PDB file of all heavy atoms in Angstrom:
ATOM      1  N   ILE A  30      30.425  16.338  46.864  1.00 93.00           N
ATOM      2  CA  ILE A  30      31.255  15.755  45.821  1.00 93.00           C
ATOM      3  C   ILE A  30      31.681  16.859  44.863  1.00 93.00           C
ATOM      4  O   ILE A  30      30.848  17.636  44.385  1.00 93.00           O
ATOM      5  CB  ILE A  30      30.521  14.618  45.073  1.00 93.00           C
ATOM      6  CG1 ILE A  30      31.391  14.075  43.941  1.00 93.00           C
ATOM      7  CG2 ILE A  30      29.156  15.061  44.557  1.00 93.00           C
ATOM      8  CD1 ILE A  30      30.848  12.813  43.315  1.00 93.00           C
ATOM      9  N   ASN A  31      32.984  16.948  44.610  1.00 92.00           N
ATOM     10  CA  ASN A  31      33.545  17.968  43.733  1.00 92.00           C
ATOM     11  C   ASN A  31      33.595  17.414  42.311  1.00 92.00           C
ATOM     12  O   ASN A  31      34.592  16.823  41.889  1.00 92.00           O
ATOM     13  CB  ASN A  31      34.941  18.367  44.212  1.00 92.00           C
ATOM     14  CG  ASN A  31      35.479  19.581  43.478  1.00 92.00           C
ATOM     15  OD1 ASN A  31      35.081  19.861  42.339  1.00 92.00           O
ATOM     16  ND2 ASN A  31      36.393  20.300  44.106  1.00 92.00           N
ATOM     17  N   LEU A  32      32.514  17.610  41.576  1.00 89.00           N
ATOM     18  CA  LEU A  32      32.458  17.113  40.202  1.00 89.00           C
ATOM     19  C   LEU A  32      33.429  17.862  39.298  1.00 89.00           C
ATOM     20  O   LEU A  32      33.888  17.324  38.290  1.00 89.00           O
ATOM     21  CB  LEU A  32      31.037  17.237  39.666  1.00 89.00           C
ATOM     22  CG  LEU A  32      29.991  16.336  40.330  1.00 89.00           C
ATOM     23  CD1 LEU A  32      28.595  16.686  39.838  1.00 89.00           C
ATOM     24  CD2 LEU A  32      30.290  14.869  40.068  1.00 89.00           C
ATOM     25  N   LYS A  33      33.741  19.099  39.648  1.00 87.00           N
ATOM     26  CA  LYS A  33      34.680  19.889  38.847  1.00 87.00           C
ATOM     27  C   LYS A  33      36.048  19.222  38.820  1.00 87.00           C
ATOM     28  O   LYS A  33      36.679  19.100  37.765  1.00 87.00           O
ATOM     29  CB  LYS A  33      34.786  21.298  39.427  1.00 87.00           C
ATOM     30  CG  LYS A  33      35.707  22.220  38.639  1.00 87.00           C
ATOM     31  CD  LYS A  33      35.702  23.621  39.247  1.00 87.00           C
ATOM     32  CE  LYS A  33      36.592  24.570  38.457  1.00 87.00           C
ATOM     33  NZ  LYS A  33      36.576  25.929  39.031  1.00 87.00           N
ATOM     34  N   THR A  34      36.507  18.770  39.992  1.00 85.00           N
ATOM     35  CA  THR A  34      37.800  18.090  40.064  1.00 85.00           C
ATOM     36  C   THR A  34      37.774  16.769  39.312  1.00 85.00           C
ATOM     37  O   THR A  34      38.703  16.430  38.574  1.00 85.00           O
ATOM     38  CB  THR A  34      38.190  17.838  41.535  1.00 85.00           C
ATOM     39  OG1 THR A  34      38.279  19.095  42.216  1.00 85.00           O
ATOM     40  CG2 THR A  34      39.509  17.112  41.635  1.00 85.00           C
ATOM     41  N   LEU A  35      36.678  16.015  39.491  1.00 85.00           N
ATOM     42  CA  LEU A  35      36.568  14.721  38.821  1.00 85.00           C
ATOM     43  C   LEU A  35      36.628  14.863  37.310  1.00 85.00           C
ATOM     44  O   LEU A  35      37.312  14.096  36.623  1.00 85.00           O
ATOM     45  CB  LEU A  35      35.267  14.036  39.227  1.00 85.00           C
ATOM     46  CG  LEU A  35      35.132  13.565  40.676  1.00 85.00           C
ATOM     47  CD1 LEU A  35      33.765  12.942  40.899  1.00 85.00           C
ATOM     48  CD2 LEU A  35      36.220  12.575  41.019  1.00 85.00           C
ATOM     49  N   VAL A  36      35.896  15.855  36.788  1.00 78.00           N
ATOM     50  CA  VAL A  36      35.780  16.008  35.342  1.00 78.00           C
ATOM     51  C   VAL A  36      37.013  16.672  34.736  1.00 78.00           C
ATOM     52  O   VAL A  36      37.602  16.174  33.786  1.00 78.00           O
ATOM     53  CB  VAL A  36      34.507  16.806  34.992  1.00 78.00           C
ATOM     54  CG1 VAL A  36      34.483  17.138  33.504  1.00 78.00           C
ATOM     55  CG2 VAL A  36      33.266  16.015  35.373  1.00 78.00           C
ATOM     56  N   LYS A  37      37.428  17.815  35.301  1.00 79.00           N
ATOM     57  CA  LYS A  37      38.523  18.582  34.691  1.00 79.00           C
ATOM     58  C   LYS A  37      39.879  17.923  34.868  1.00 79.00           C
ATOM     59  O   LYS A  37      40.737  18.024  33.998  1.00 79.00           O
ATOM     60  CB  LYS A  37      38.543  19.993  35.274  1.00 79.00           C
ATOM     61  CG  LYS A  37      37.410  20.871  34.756  1.00 79.00           C
ATOM     62  CD  LYS A  37      37.659  22.340  35.082  1.00 79.00           C
ATOM     63  CE  LYS A  37      36.641  23.220  34.366  1.00 79.00           C
ATOM     64  NZ  LYS A  37      36.892  24.665  34.603  1.00 79.00           N
ATOM     65  N   GLU A  38      40.080  17.264  36.021  1.00 76.00           N
ATOM     66  CA  GLU A  38      41.372  16.641  36.281  1.00 76.00           C
ATOM     67  C   GLU A  38      41.382  15.157  35.949  1.00 76.00           C
ATOM     68  O   GLU A  38      42.403  14.492  36.111  1.00 76.00           O
ATOM     69  CB  GLU A  38      41.766  16.863  37.743  1.00 76.00           C
ATOM     70  CG  GLU A  38      41.933  18.331  38.111  1.00 76.00           C
ATOM     71  CD  GLU A  38      42.368  18.529  39.541  1.00 76.00           C
ATOM     72  OE1 GLU A  38      42.695  17.506  40.210  1.00 76.00           O
ATOM     73  OE2 GLU A  38      42.389  19.677  40.005  1.00 76.00           O
ATOM     74  N   GLY A  39      40.243  14.642  35.506  1.00 76.00           N
ATOM     75  CA  GLY A  39      40.175  13.242  35.097  1.00 76.00           C
ATOM     76  C   GLY A  39      40.353  12.260  36.231  1.00 76.00           C
ATOM     77  O   GLY A  39      40.808  11.130  36.016  1.00 76.00           O
ATOM     78  N   ARG A  40      39.970  12.644  37.455  1.00 75.00           N
ATOM     79  CA  ARG A  40      40.136  11.755  38.610  1.00 75.00           C
ATOM     80  C   ARG A  40      38.920  10.846  38.748  1.00 75.00           C
ATOM     81  O   ARG A  40      38.235  10.828  39.768  1.00 75.00           O
ATOM     82  CB  ARG A  40      40.344  12.580  39.874  1.00 75.00           C
ATOM     83  CG  ARG A  40      41.618  13.401  39.877  1.00 75.00           C
ATOM     84  CD  ARG A  40      41.716  14.284  41.098  1.00 75.00           C
ATOM     85  NE  ARG A  40      41.615  13.488  42.326  1.00 75.00           N
ATOM     86  CZ  ARG A  40      41.507  14.020  43.542  1.00 75.00           C
ATOM     87  NH1 ARG A  40      41.473  15.328  43.684  1.00 75.00           N
ATOM     88  NH2 ARG A  40      41.405  13.238  44.601  1.00 75.00           N
ATOM     89  N   LEU A  41      38.683  10.066  37.730  1.00 74.00           N
ATOM     90  CA  LEU A  41      37.473   9.240  37.714  1.00 74.00           C
ATOM     91  C   LEU A  41      37.553   8.059  38.677  1.00 74.00           C
ATOM     92  O   LEU A  41      36.537   7.444  38.989  1.00 74.00           O
ATOM     93  CB  LEU A  41      37.201   8.748  36.296  1.00 74.00           C
ATOM     94  CG  LEU A  41      36.978   9.867  35.262  1.00 74.00           C
ATOM     95  CD1 LEU A  41      36.635   9.278  33.909  1.00 74.00           C
ATOM     96  CD2 LEU A  41      35.879  10.815  35.727  1.00 74.00           C
ATOM     97  N   SER A  42      38.753   7.765  39.160  1.00 77.00           N
ATOM     98  CA  SER A  42      38.872   6.692  40.156  1.00 77.00           C
ATOM     99  C   SER A  42      38.196   7.081  41.460  1.00 77.00           C
ATOM    100  O   SER A  42      37.844   6.221  42.265  1.00 77.00           O
ATOM    101  CB  SER A  42      40.344   6.367  40.409  1.00 77.00           C
ATOM    102  OG  SER A  42      41.026   7.514  40.905  1.00 77.00           O
ATOM    103  N   ALA A  43      38.025   8.398  41.673  1.00 81.00           N
ATOM    104  CA  ALA A  43      37.361   8.884  42.883  1.00 81.00           C
ATOM    105  C   ALA A  43      35.875   9.123  42.662  1.00 81.00           C
ATOM    106  O   ALA A  43      35.194   9.638  43.550  1.00 81.00           O
ATOM    107  CB  ALA A  43      38.035  10.173  43.362  1.00 81.00           C
ATOM    108  N   ASP A  44      35.367   8.760  41.494  1.00 89.00           N
ATOM    109  CA  ASP A  44      33.946   8.942  41.200  1.00 89.00           C
ATOM    110  C   ASP A  44      33.116   8.090  42.156  1.00 89.00           C
ATOM    111  O   ASP A  44      33.546   7.006  42.572  1.00 89.00           O
ATOM    112  CB  ASP A  44      33.661   8.531  39.758  1.00 89.00           C
ATOM    113  CG  ASP A  44      32.467   9.255  39.178  1.00 89.00           C
ATOM    114  OD1 ASP A  44      31.782   9.959  39.934  1.00 89.00           O
ATOM    115  OD2 ASP A  44      32.225   9.115  37.970  1.00 89.00           O
ATOM    116  N   VAL A  45      31.921   8.571  42.496  1.00 91.00           N
ATOM    117  CA  VAL A  45      31.099   7.917  43.517  1.00 91.00           C
ATOM    118  C   VAL A  45      29.980   7.118  42.860  1.00 91.00           C
ATOM    119  O   VAL A  45      29.153   7.682  42.138  1.00 91.00           O
ATOM    120  CB  VAL A  45      30.480   8.965  44.471  1.00 91.00           C
ATOM    121  CG1 VAL A  45      29.602   8.285  45.517  1.00 91.00           C
ATOM    122  CG2 VAL A  45      31.577   9.785  45.137  1.00 91.00           C
ATOM    123  N   PRO A  46      29.912   5.802  43.076  1.00 93.00           N
ATOM    124  CA  PRO A  46      28.787   5.018  42.549  1.00 93.00           C
ATOM    125  C   PRO A  46      27.496   5.388  43.266  1.00 93.00           C
ATOM    126  O   PRO A  46      27.479   5.543  44.487  1.00 93.00           O
ATOM    127  CB  PRO A  46      29.187   3.566  42.847  1.00 93.00           C
ATOM    128  CG  PRO A  46      30.649   3.611  43.171  1.00 93.00           C
ATOM    129  CD  PRO A  46      30.902   4.961  43.758  1.00 93.00           C
ATOM    130  N   LEU A  47      26.421   5.512  42.518  1.00 94.00           N
ATOM    131  CA  LEU A  47      25.126   5.812  43.115  1.00 94.00           C
ATOM    132  C   LEU A  47      24.441   4.538  43.567  1.00 94.00           C
ATOM    133  O   LEU A  47      24.646   3.468  43.003  1.00 94.00           O
ATOM    134  CB  LEU A  47      24.238   6.546  42.113  1.00 94.00           C
ATOM    135  CG  LEU A  47      24.734   7.904  41.629  1.00 94.00           C
ATOM    136  CD1 LEU A  47      23.702   8.544  40.706  1.00 94.00           C
ATOM    137  CD2 LEU A  47      25.042   8.831  42.796  1.00 94.00           C
ATOM    138  N   GLN A  48      23.623   4.671  44.598  1.00 90.00           N
ATOM    139  CA  GLN A  48      22.788   3.586  45.072  1.00 90.00           C
ATOM    140  C   GLN A  48      21.334   3.898  44.751  1.00 90.00           C
ATOM    141  O   GLN A  48      20.975   5.058  44.526  1.00 90.00           O
ATOM    142  CB  GLN A  48      22.967   3.398  46.582  1.00 90.00           C
ATOM    143  CG  GLN A  48      24.360   2.963  46.981  1.00 90.00           C
ATOM    144  CD  GLN A  48      24.497   2.758  48.476  1.00 90.00           C
ATOM    145  OE1 GLN A  48      23.510   2.753  49.214  1.00 90.00           O
ATOM    146  NE2 GLN A  48      25.714   2.585  48.946  1.00 90.00           N
ATOM    147  N   PRO A  49      20.464   2.873  44.710  1.00 87.00           N
ATOM    148  CA  PRO A  49      19.050   3.134  44.424  1.00 87.00           C
ATOM    149  C   PRO A  49      18.462   4.166  45.383  1.00 87.00           C
ATOM    150  O   PRO A  49      18.653   4.084  46.592  1.00 87.00           O
ATOM    151  CB  PRO A  49      18.402   1.758  44.618  1.00 87.00           C
ATOM    152  CG  PRO A  49      19.498   0.789  44.296  1.00 87.00           C
ATOM    153  CD  PRO A  49      20.744   1.423  44.830  1.00 87.00           C
ATOM    154  N   GLY A  50      17.765   5.152  44.822  1.00 88.00           N
ATOM    155  CA  GLY A  50      17.144   6.190  45.625  1.00 88.00           C
ATOM    156  C   GLY A  50      18.006   7.422  45.843  1.00 88.00           C
ATOM    157  O   GLY A  50      17.535   8.417  46.390  1.00 88.00           O
ATOM    158  N   ASP A  51      19.274   7.386  45.409  1.00 93.00           N
ATOM    159  CA  ASP A  51      20.155   8.544  45.580  1.00 93.00           C
ATOM    160  C   ASP A  51      19.671   9.726  44.747  1.00 93.00           C
ATOM    161  O   ASP A  51      19.078   9.558  43.680  1.00 93.00           O
ATOM    162  CB  ASP A  51      21.584   8.204  45.154  1.00 93.00           C
ATOM    163  CG  ASP A  51      22.343   7.446  46.221  1.00 93.00           C
ATOM    164  OD1 ASP A  51      21.760   7.177  47.285  1.00 93.00           O
ATOM    165  OD2 ASP A  51      23.515   7.103  45.977  1.00 93.00           O
ATOM    166  N   MET A  52      19.968  10.929  45.248  1.00 95.00           N
ATOM    167  CA  MET A  52      19.693  12.143  44.491  1.00 95.00           C
ATOM    168  C   MET A  52      20.968  12.960  44.376  1.00 95.00           C
ATOM    169  O   MET A  52      21.609  13.286  45.394  1.00 95.00           O
ATOM    170  CB  MET A  52      18.610  12.990  45.134  1.00 95.00           C
ATOM    171  CG  MET A  52      18.295  14.247  44.317  1.00 95.00           C
ATOM    172  SD  MET A  52      16.906  15.191  44.993  1.00 95.00           S
ATOM    173  CE  MET A  52      17.653  15.818  46.492  1.00 95.00           C
ATOM    174  N   LEU A  53      21.372  13.297  43.143  1.00 95.00           N
ATOM    175  CA  LEU A  53      22.517  14.153  42.882  1.00 95.00           C
ATOM    176  C   LEU A  53      22.011  15.581  42.690  1.00 95.00           C
ATOM    177  O   LEU A  53      21.212  15.848  41.787  1.00 95.00           O
ATOM    178  CB  LEU A  53      23.263  13.672  41.632  1.00 95.00           C
ATOM    179  CG  LEU A  53      24.429  14.551  41.163  1.00 95.00           C
ATOM    180  CD1 LEU A  53      25.530  14.593  42.220  1.00 95.00           C
ATOM    181  CD2 LEU A  53      24.976  14.040  39.839  1.00 95.00           C
ATOM    182  N   PHE A  54      22.468  16.493  43.557  1.00 95.00           N
ATOM    183  CA  PHE A  54      22.032  17.891  43.515  1.00 95.00           C
ATOM    184  C   PHE A  54      23.203  18.774  43.111  1.00 95.00           C
ATOM    185  O   PHE A  54      24.274  18.715  43.719  1.00 95.00           O
ATOM    186  CB  PHE A  54      21.502  18.313  44.888  1.00 95.00           C
ATOM    187  CG  PHE A  54      21.203  19.784  45.004  1.00 95.00           C
ATOM    188  CD1 PHE A  54      20.114  20.344  44.348  1.00 95.00           C
ATOM    189  CD2 PHE A  54      22.017  20.599  45.777  1.00 95.00           C
ATOM    190  CE1 PHE A  54      19.838  21.700  44.459  1.00 95.00           C
ATOM    191  CE2 PHE A  54      21.751  21.957  45.896  1.00 95.00           C
ATOM    192  CZ  PHE A  54      20.660  22.511  45.238  1.00 95.00           C
ATOM    193  N   VAL A  55      23.010  19.605  42.064  1.00 94.00           N
ATOM    194  CA  VAL A  55      24.031  20.539  41.602  1.00 94.00           C
ATOM    195  C   VAL A  55      23.526  21.960  41.864  1.00 94.00           C
ATOM    196  O   VAL A  55      22.541  22.383  41.243  1.00 94.00           O
ATOM    197  CB  VAL A  55      24.336  20.348  40.102  1.00 94.00           C
ATOM    198  CG1 VAL A  55      25.423  21.324  39.662  1.00 94.00           C
ATOM    199  CG2 VAL A  55      24.763  18.909  39.814  1.00 94.00           C
TER     200      VAL A  55
END
């Protein structure tokens, strides 16, 4: 997941909902 694009370009419609147990790694 390209968080840079989501945040800087404001493409929040493409943001990914998390499910229980998910881990976000940066």
Side-chain angles (χ1 to χ4, degrees):
I30 177 170
N31 189 335
L32 293 172
K33 182 177 181 179
T34 300
L35 292 179
V36 172
K37 286 194 171 183
E38 298 182 8
R40 296 175 56 188
L41 300 183
S42 60
D44 207 352
V45 179
L47 298 183
Q48 295 181 11
D51 280 0
M52 182 175 70
L53 175 63
F54 172 71
V55 181

